[in-house]
Amino acid sequence: MTNSIKHLAKIRRVGWLPMMTLTALVAGHSSVSQAGATFKIDDTKWISVGAGLRTSFSSVEDANGRAGNPKWSTDFALNNLRLYMNGQLHKYIKFTFNTECSNCGDGGDIRILDGIAQFEINPYANLWAGRQLVPEGRIEMNGPFYSATFEPFKTPFEASDSTIQNVLPGPDAGTFGRDEGVNFWGAAVDGHLKYVFGIFEGLKRSNYSGPGKTANADGNLMYATRIAYNILNVESAPGYYTGGTAYGADGDVLTVAGFAQYQEDGAGSYEKAGDVLMAGGDLKFEKVLPNKGVLTVNTEYKNFGIDYHNGAPGAGSSTNNFFVGGGGGGLVNPFQGDSITSNLLYLIPQKVWIGQFQPYVMYTQVMTRQGFTSAQDQSEYEGGVNYIIDGHNARVSLLWQGGDLSGGGGIWNPAANGDFVNAIKLGVQLQI
């Protein structure tokens, strides 16, 4: 899904294009410490490329919902396949272009993940314009590649996770956690205070009058913000991005943050629009212990609310069949309620073969607002172990999930039947 882009400080490297092609593109290259290979054009211009891959195997108990059937499903999946490109045109001007595959399991379609013009003046004031991450909670901002666990996305999605235009049904309001807009971001107090303020399209105004015409007839914009304070050491994630863990590289970290998204007429039907407000907070604590082990805690709370002007769209709404992929209930009847998710991880200091083991536990609960839907509150327990080979660049995860959250292993789903379902999953993540 919801899914973060490759951190800029770690993607200035080459691993997927033939050397002859790159040589034709640039005059030469030089090695950059902790940043792989950067292809230099002149003293101020450079370009870099990289790639990321996540693939998994899962087995879910009674996946087809047949009562009394002890069989387990067996599914292989290509979760993510991303290509990264970054460059600098001027001392103050950079760009980012990343791709992602949608519908990876059905052959996949390569689509634009990020397309950002970056004007970076100083630590306090920077402007990014284009398709990019909408400011949000830490889990969403981590994305799949920089989260602490292999399957971080458990709570209902926001509008920017909803649709892929002309691929998935439903009103367009962004996808992969991205949307078209601008972000103003910076850091103050020696980098301890980090802030980002964004303006985005959000739910787009309908250009037609037939069935499926959406809310937001006036074309209102969506506003989003995130403000975080690093109480102890400053986290090293670049820009306004975040990470679920630094595996101790940042030392002792305690960060608290608040975030919000708002759009007038951002949900509902054309006849019954509603103002959307999502707000919450998150906390990250990471401690390097005397034995060099690393303890990590992440917790996040979200509240989803909609203020309908003329009552919520009912089951007979002309647009009620336009639901988005994944959880959240769609842009016509989005989720309303609260959610909380927390994880606890411990990176064992001793190396075993080429990596370190990191056992963890995780819990998620989604509490539906009374009267919003007949769906009950849902929860999920998770326990697993990550095998860390090269931080976020190479790791293997084995995990167990159990609960009624989306039938055991996924995001909140209003159609879940409440049964406690077990799932076993094995995931591999590689990037360069």
Side-chain angles (χ1 to χ4, degrees), residues 68-205:
N69 188 340
K71 292 184 178 180
W72 289 53
S73 68
T74 53
D75 297 294
F76 290 93
L78 178 61
N79 303 82
N80 301 93
L81 179 60
R82 298 183 175 183
L83 302 178
Y84 311 116
M85 180 177 293
N86 289 79
Q88 178 172 292
L89 308 176
H90 181 274
K91 179 181 178 180
Y92 299 125
I93 304 175
K94 300 175 183 178
F95 72 89
T96 293
F97 174 67
N98 302 321
T99 68
E100 171 69 292
C101 73
S102 60
N103 305 318
C104 293
D106 296 322
D109 301 301
I110 298 299
R111 304 191 66 82
I112 295 175
L113 180 67
D114 302 282
I116 315 171
Q118 301 164 238
F119 301 90
E120 301 183 4
I121 310 304
N122 57 55
Y124 309 102
N126 303 276
L127 182 69
W128 289 6
R131 187 171 187 83
Q132 58 191 303
L133 272 170
V134 179
E136 230 266 39
R138 179 178 290 270
I139 291 178
E140 182 84 357
M141 299 296 293
N142 297 341
F145 284 92
Y146 285 88
S147 290
T149 61
F150 188 79
E151 283 197 349
F153 306 115
K154 306 291 182 181
T155 61
F157 282 162
E158 289 72 52
S160 57
D161 284 301
S162 60
T163 61
I164 303 174
Q165 197 170 23
N166 301 322
V167 175
L168 297 179
D172 183 34
T175 189
F176 303 128
R178 274 79 173 169
D179 198 2
E180 285 76 36
V182 295
N183 270 321
F184 173 85
W185 64 269
V189 195
D190 295 327
H192 287 267
L193 177 64
K194 296 185 177 182
Y195 44 85
V196 55
F197 306 95
I199 304 175
F200 295 86
E201 285 199 88
L203 177 63
K204 295 175 177 58
R205 178 171 51 187

Side-chain angles (χ1 to χ4, degrees), residues 368-384:
T368 304
R369 180 165 299 167
Q370 189 173 9
F372 159 64
T373 177
S374 60
Q376 58 187 352
D377 295 348
Q378 298 167 34
S379 62
E380 182 180 271
Y381 302 88
E382 179 173 320

Side-chain angles (χ1 to χ4, degrees), residues 275-293:
D275 303 337
V276 177
L277 174 63
M278 185 281 295
D282 57 67
L283 178 147
K284 174 185 174 180
F285 174 69
E286 189 152 281
K287 173 70 176 178
V288 180
L289 303 177
N291 66 350
K292 304 303 180 182

Side-chain angles (χ1 to χ4, degrees), residues 247-248 251-252 286-296 345-350 356-358:
Y247 303 106
D252 294 345
E286 189 152 281
K287 173 70 176 178
V288 180
L289 303 177
N291 66 350
K292 304 303 180 182
V294 181
L295 180 70
T296 303
L345 308 95
Y346 176 65
L347 181 65
I348 300 173
Q350 291 78 19
Q356 296 170 264
F357 287 105
Q358 185 188 48

Side-chain angles (χ1 to χ4, degrees), residues 11-73:
I11 66 172
R12 298 173 184 176
R13 58 190 70 189
V14 176
W16 61 277
L17 287 180
M19 185 59 68
M20 291 182 63
T21 302
L22 286 172
T23 303
L25 289 174
V26 297
H29 75 279
S30 61
S31 295
V32 178
S33 176
Q34 299 180 344
T38 296
F39 289 79
K40 186 177 179 181
I41 299 173
D42 58 31
D43 290 340
T44 60
K45 299 181 178 66
W46 54 261
I47 192 168
S48 67
V49 293
L53 167 71
R54 296 173 73 250
T55 185
S56 64
F57 170 79
S58 63
S59 182
V60 181
E61 180 184 22
D62 294 332
N64 296 323
R66 293 170 290 183
N69 188 340
K71 292 184 178 180
W72 289 53
S73 68

